[in-house]
Amino acid sequence: MATTPADAPEDLDSDAAARGTVYRTLSAAFRYPDEAFHAAAASGSLTRDLRQCLARTALAVEAPDLATGDDYETLAARYNDLFELGYSEYTDRTDGSLDSSGPPVPLYESKYRPDQSWNDVNLDLARAYDHYGLEIDQDRRDNHDALRYELEFAGYLARREAVAEADAALARLDFQDRHLGHAAAGVADRLADEPGTDIYGALGDFLEAFVRADRNDLADRLEGER
Protein backbone atom coordinates (compact mmCIF):
# COMPACT_ATOMS: atom_id res chain seq x y z
CA MET A 1 0.00 0.00 0.00
CA ALA A 2 1.87 3.09 -1.21
CA THR A 3 1.36 6.24 0.83
CA THR A 4 2.50 8.66 -1.88
CA PRO A 5 2.52 7.93 -5.64
CA ALA A 6 5.91 8.10 -7.33
CA ASP A 7 4.57 10.61 -9.84
CA ALA A 8 2.87 12.81 -7.23
CA PRO A 9 3.02 16.58 -7.89
CA GLU A 10 5.49 18.58 -5.84
CA ASP A 11 2.75 20.56 -4.13
CA LEU A 12 0.83 17.45 -3.04
CA ASP A 13 -0.61 17.71 0.47
CA SER A 14 0.88 14.48 1.86
CA ASP A 15 -1.35 14.62 4.96
CA ALA A 16 -4.57 14.63 2.92
CA ALA A 17 -3.17 12.03 0.52
CA ALA A 18 -2.34 9.71 3.43
CA ARG A 19 -5.84 10.12 4.84
CA GLY A 20 -7.21 9.19 1.43
CA THR A 21 -5.14 6.01 1.49
CA VAL A 22 -6.44 5.11 4.95
CA TYR A 23 -10.03 5.55 3.76
CA ARG A 24 -9.35 3.39 0.72
CA THR A 25 -7.79 0.71 2.93
CA LEU A 26 -10.76 0.74 5.29
CA SER A 27 -13.12 0.40 2.36
CA ALA A 28 -11.24 -2.72 1.25
CA ALA A 29 -11.18 -4.08 4.81
CA PHE A 30 -14.98 -4.01 5.08
CA ARG A 31 -15.51 -5.89 1.83
CA TYR A 32 -15.78 -9.67 1.71
CA PRO A 33 -12.16 -10.67 2.34
CA ASP A 34 -10.04 -11.87 -0.54
CA GLU A 35 -6.84 -13.84 -0.11
CA ALA A 36 -4.68 -10.73 -0.55
CA PHE A 37 -6.42 -9.02 2.39
CA HIS A 38 -6.02 -12.14 4.50
CA ALA A 39 -2.32 -12.31 3.68
CA ALA A 40 -1.81 -8.65 4.61
CA ALA A 41 -3.63 -9.13 7.93
CA ALA A 42 -1.92 -12.40 8.78
CA SER A 43 1.58 -11.10 7.98
CA GLY A 44 1.17 -7.82 9.86
CA SER A 45 1.72 -5.68 6.76
CA LEU A 46 -1.79 -4.23 7.04
CA THR A 47 -0.96 -2.79 10.47
CA ARG A 48 2.49 -1.57 9.39
CA ASP A 49 1.20 0.17 6.28
CA LEU A 50 -1.66 1.88 8.12
CA ARG A 51 0.75 3.12 10.78
CA GLN A 52 3.04 4.53 8.11
CA CYS A 53 0.10 6.40 6.59
CA LEU A 54 -1.06 7.75 9.93
CA ALA A 55 2.46 9.01 10.66
CA ARG A 56 2.08 11.33 7.66
CA THR A 57 -1.01 12.96 9.15
CA ALA A 58 -1.58 15.39 11.99
CA LEU A 59 -4.18 13.08 13.54
CA ALA A 60 -3.64 11.66 17.02
CA VAL A 61 -4.92 8.23 16.02
CA GLU A 62 -3.00 4.98 16.21
CA ALA A 63 -3.75 1.88 14.19
CA PRO A 64 -4.36 -1.07 16.51
CA ASP A 65 -2.85 -4.47 15.90
CA LEU A 66 -4.89 -5.70 12.96
CA ALA A 67 -3.34 -9.14 12.73
CA THR A 68 -5.44 -12.28 12.51
CA GLY A 69 -4.71 -15.87 13.43
CA ASP A 70 -7.54 -17.13 11.21
CA ASP A 71 -6.85 -19.09 8.07
CA TYR A 72 -8.55 -17.67 4.98
CA GLU A 73 -11.66 -19.85 5.18
CA THR A 74 -12.21 -19.02 8.85
CA LEU A 75 -11.81 -15.29 8.22
CA ALA A 76 -14.32 -15.42 5.37
CA ALA A 77 -16.78 -17.37 7.54
CA ARG A 78 -16.33 -14.82 10.33
CA TYR A 79 -17.10 -12.00 7.90
CA ASN A 80 -20.26 -13.77 6.75
CA ASP A 81 -21.44 -14.37 10.32
CA LEU A 82 -20.95 -10.71 11.27
CA PHE A 83 -21.93 -8.79 8.17
CA GLU A 84 -23.83 -10.97 5.70
CA LEU A 85 -25.92 -13.71 7.26
CA GLY A 86 -29.22 -13.02 8.96
CA TYR A 87 -30.95 -15.10 11.61
CA SER A 88 -34.29 -16.89 11.39
CA GLU A 89 -36.23 -18.78 14.02
CA TYR A 90 -39.71 -20.33 13.99
CA THR A 91 -41.77 -18.69 16.72
CA ASP A 92 -44.79 -20.91 16.14
CA ARG A 93 -44.30 -24.09 14.15
CA THR A 94 -48.05 -24.76 14.09
CA ASP A 95 -48.67 -21.88 11.70
CA GLY A 96 -45.18 -21.41 10.29
CA SER A 97 -44.57 -18.03 11.93
CA LEU A 98 -40.96 -17.04 11.32
CA ASP A 99 -38.97 -14.39 13.13
CA SER A 100 -36.21 -13.09 10.86
CA SER A 101 -33.51 -10.48 11.33
CA GLY A 102 -30.60 -9.19 9.36
CA PRO A 103 -26.92 -9.74 10.12
CA PRO A 104 -25.60 -8.70 13.55
CA VAL A 105 -23.62 -5.80 12.06
CA PRO A 106 -25.21 -4.33 8.91
CA LEU A 107 -22.77 -2.47 6.67
CA TYR A 108 -25.33 0.12 5.57
CA GLU A 109 -25.75 3.62 6.98
CA SER A 110 -29.56 3.58 6.83
CA LYS A 111 -29.63 0.75 9.40
CA TYR A 112 -28.26 3.24 11.96
CA ARG A 113 -30.50 6.17 11.04
CA PRO A 114 -33.89 5.73 12.73
CA ASP A 115 -34.45 9.44 12.10
CA GLN A 116 -34.16 9.04 8.31
CA SER A 117 -35.86 6.80 5.78
CA TRP A 118 -33.85 4.44 3.59
CA ASN A 119 -35.00 6.41 0.57
CA ASP A 120 -33.89 9.78 1.94
CA VAL A 121 -30.44 8.51 2.92
CA ASN A 122 -29.78 6.83 -0.41
CA LEU A 123 -31.15 9.66 -2.55
CA ASP A 124 -28.95 12.18 -0.76
CA LEU A 125 -25.91 9.95 -1.30
CA ALA A 126 -26.79 9.42 -4.97
CA ARG A 127 -26.85 13.19 -5.45
CA ALA A 128 -23.49 13.57 -3.70
CA TYR A 129 -21.82 10.90 -5.85
CA ASP A 130 -23.41 12.25 -9.03
CA HIS A 131 -22.19 15.78 -8.24
CA TYR A 132 -18.64 14.50 -8.71
CA GLY A 133 -19.47 12.37 -11.72
CA LEU A 134 -19.28 9.12 -9.76
CA GLU A 135 -21.56 6.13 -10.04
CA ILE A 136 -21.99 2.73 -8.41
CA ASP A 137 -19.96 -0.09 -9.92
CA GLN A 138 -22.47 -1.85 -12.17
CA ASP A 139 -20.63 -5.19 -11.85
CA ARG A 140 -20.93 -5.13 -8.04
CA ARG A 141 -24.01 -2.96 -7.69
CA ASP A 142 -25.11 -2.20 -4.13
CA ASN A 143 -27.07 0.45 -2.25
CA HIS A 144 -25.52 3.91 -2.17
CA ASP A 145 -25.32 3.77 1.64
CA ALA A 146 -23.01 0.73 1.67
CA LEU A 147 -20.17 1.49 4.07
CA ARG A 148 -17.51 0.62 1.51
CA TYR A 149 -18.91 3.20 -0.95
CA GLU A 150 -19.02 5.88 1.71
CA LEU A 151 -15.41 5.16 2.70
CA GLU A 152 -14.34 5.22 -0.95
CA PHE A 153 -16.05 8.58 -1.38
CA ALA A 154 -14.38 10.06 1.70
CA GLY A 155 -11.03 8.87 0.34
CA TYR A 156 -11.82 10.38 -3.04
CA LEU A 157 -12.55 13.75 -1.43
CA ALA A 158 -9.33 13.54 0.60
CA ARG A 159 -7.32 12.92 -2.57
CA ARG A 160 -8.97 15.93 -4.21
CA GLU A 161 -7.96 17.98 -1.17
CA ALA A 162 -4.42 16.63 -1.55
CA VAL A 163 -4.09 18.32 -4.95
CA ALA A 164 -5.41 21.60 -3.54
CA GLU A 165 -8.87 21.42 -5.05
CA ALA A 166 -11.05 24.17 -3.63
CA ASP A 167 -13.85 23.05 -1.29
CA ALA A 168 -12.83 19.36 -1.22
CA ALA A 169 -12.06 19.45 2.51
CA LEU A 170 -15.30 21.28 3.25
CA ALA A 171 -17.23 18.73 1.19
CA ARG A 172 -15.64 15.89 3.19
CA LEU A 173 -16.58 17.51 6.49
CA ASP A 174 -20.18 17.92 5.32
CA PHE A 175 -20.24 14.31 4.11
CA GLN A 176 -18.98 13.05 7.45
CA ASP A 177 -21.58 15.05 9.37
CA ARG A 178 -24.43 13.99 7.10
CA HIS A 179 -23.49 10.36 6.46
CA LEU A 180 -20.17 8.66 7.21
CA GLY A 181 -19.99 9.63 10.89
CA HIS A 182 -23.34 7.91 11.52
CA ALA A 183 -22.32 4.75 9.68
CA ALA A 184 -18.90 4.49 11.35
CA ALA A 185 -20.28 4.95 14.87
CA GLY A 186 -23.11 2.48 14.26
CA VAL A 187 -20.85 -0.26 12.90
CA ALA A 188 -18.32 0.21 15.72
CA ASP A 189 -21.03 0.04 18.39
CA ARG A 190 -22.54 -3.15 16.97
CA LEU A 191 -19.13 -4.81 16.65
CA ALA A 192 -18.36 -3.95 20.27
CA ASP A 193 -21.41 -5.96 21.33
CA GLU A 194 -20.47 -9.07 19.31
CA PRO A 195 -18.30 -11.96 20.55
CA GLY A 196 -15.59 -13.50 18.43
CA THR A 197 -14.98 -10.57 16.09
CA ASP A 198 -11.19 -11.14 15.80
CA ILE A 199 -9.72 -8.53 13.43
CA TYR A 200 -13.10 -6.94 12.71
CA GLY A 201 -13.58 -5.70 16.26
CA ALA A 202 -10.27 -3.82 16.07
CA LEU A 203 -11.18 -2.54 12.61
CA GLY A 204 -14.49 -1.21 13.94
CA ASP A 205 -12.76 0.69 16.75
CA PHE A 206 -10.20 2.12 14.32
CA LEU A 207 -12.89 3.05 11.79
CA GLU A 208 -14.83 5.10 14.33
CA ALA A 209 -11.71 6.73 15.82
CA PHE A 210 -10.24 7.67 12.45
CA VAL A 211 -13.46 9.10 11.01
CA ARG A 212 -14.09 11.10 14.20
CA ALA A 213 -10.52 12.44 14.35
CA ASP A 214 -10.54 13.41 10.67
CA ARG A 215 -13.91 15.13 11.08
CA ASN A 216 -12.84 17.06 14.18
CA ASP A 217 -9.57 18.14 12.58
CA LEU A 218 -11.42 19.39 9.51
CA ALA A 219 -13.91 21.27 11.68
CA ASP A 220 -11.08 22.96 13.59
CA ARG A 221 -9.27 23.98 10.41
CA LEU A 222 -12.37 25.10 8.53
CA GLU A 223 -14.18 26.81 11.40
CA GLY A 224 -15.78 29.99 10.15
CA GLU A 225 -15.58 28.98 6.49
CA ARG A 226 -19.19 27.94 6.25
Side-chain angles (χ1 to χ4, degrees), residues 76-87:
R78 195 183 300 278
Y79 181 95
N80 279 333
D81 288 344
L82 288 169
F83 305 121
E84 296 285 350
L85 302 179
Y87 172 78

Side-chain angles (χ1 to χ4, degrees), residues 10-160:
E10 292 184 359
D11 60 348
L12 180 78
D13 182 336
S14 61
D15 184 323
R19 297 185 200 197
T21 301
V22 173
Y23 277 119
R24 184 174 59 196
T25 302
L26 281 169
S27 177
F30 281 99
R31 294 174 184 266
Y32 184 83
D34 58 18
E35 293 191 5
F37 174 77
H38 173 261
S43 69
S45 66
L46 175 63
T47 300
R48 290 194 299 272
D49 288 350
L50 276 175
R51 287 175 178 170
Q52 289 175 3
C53 276
L54 289 168
R56 292 178 176 268
T57 77
L59 302 178
V61 179
E62 293 185 4
D65 183 2
L66 297 174
T68 181
D70 287 346
D71 59 26
Y72 173 68
E73 290 75 15
T74 302
L75 183 68
R78 195 183 300 278
Y79 181 95
N80 279 333
D81 288 344
L82 288 169
F83 305 121
E84 296 285 350
L85 302 179
Y87 172 78
S88 298
E89 180 182 25
Y90 283 102
T91 56
D92 188 343
R93 292 188 177 275
T94 61
D95 64 6
S97 298
L98 188 67
D99 180 25
S100 300
S101 63
V105 188
L107 294 179
Y108 296 91
E109 179 200 336
S110 57
K111 295 295 186 180
Y112 306 102
R113 300 295 303 275
D115 59 323
Q116 298 286 329
S117 70
W118 179 95
N119 196 57
D120 286 345
V121 169
N122 279 273
L123 278 177
D124 193 52
L125 286 163
R127 294 189 197 101
Y129 301 160
D130 184 66
H131 177 76
Y132 286 95
L134 304 174
E135 61 181 20
I136 300 302
D137 184 349
Q138 296 302 307
D139 293 332
R140 302 181 63 180
R141 188 170 179 83
D142 205 342
N143 297 333
H144 289 78
D145 69 329
L147 178 64
R148 65 179 187 271
Y149 290 153
E150 295 197 12
L151 289 167
E152 285 179 7
F153 187 58
Y156 171 79
L157 293 174
R159 292 191 294 276
R160 291 179 75 113

Side-chain angles (χ1 to χ4, degrees), residues 161 167-174 215-226:
E161 180 193 359
D167 298 330
L170 193 59
R172 189 162 90 256
L173 174 59
D174 183 68
R215 183 265 169 209
N216 290 342
D217 178 71
L218 287 170
D220 288 342
R221 287 194 282 125
L222 300 172
E223 186 175 6
E225 292 188 15
R226 63 172 182 171

Side-chain angles (χ1 to χ4, degrees), residues 104-106 112 181-195 197 200-201 203-205 207-208 212:
V105 188
Y112 306 102
H182 299 279
V187 168
D189 285 347
R190 288 284 188 94
L191 280 168
D193 291 337
E194 288 299 311
T197 55
Y200 291 110
L203 273 168
D205 290 340
L207 165 71
E208 192 279 330
R212 174 166 39 85

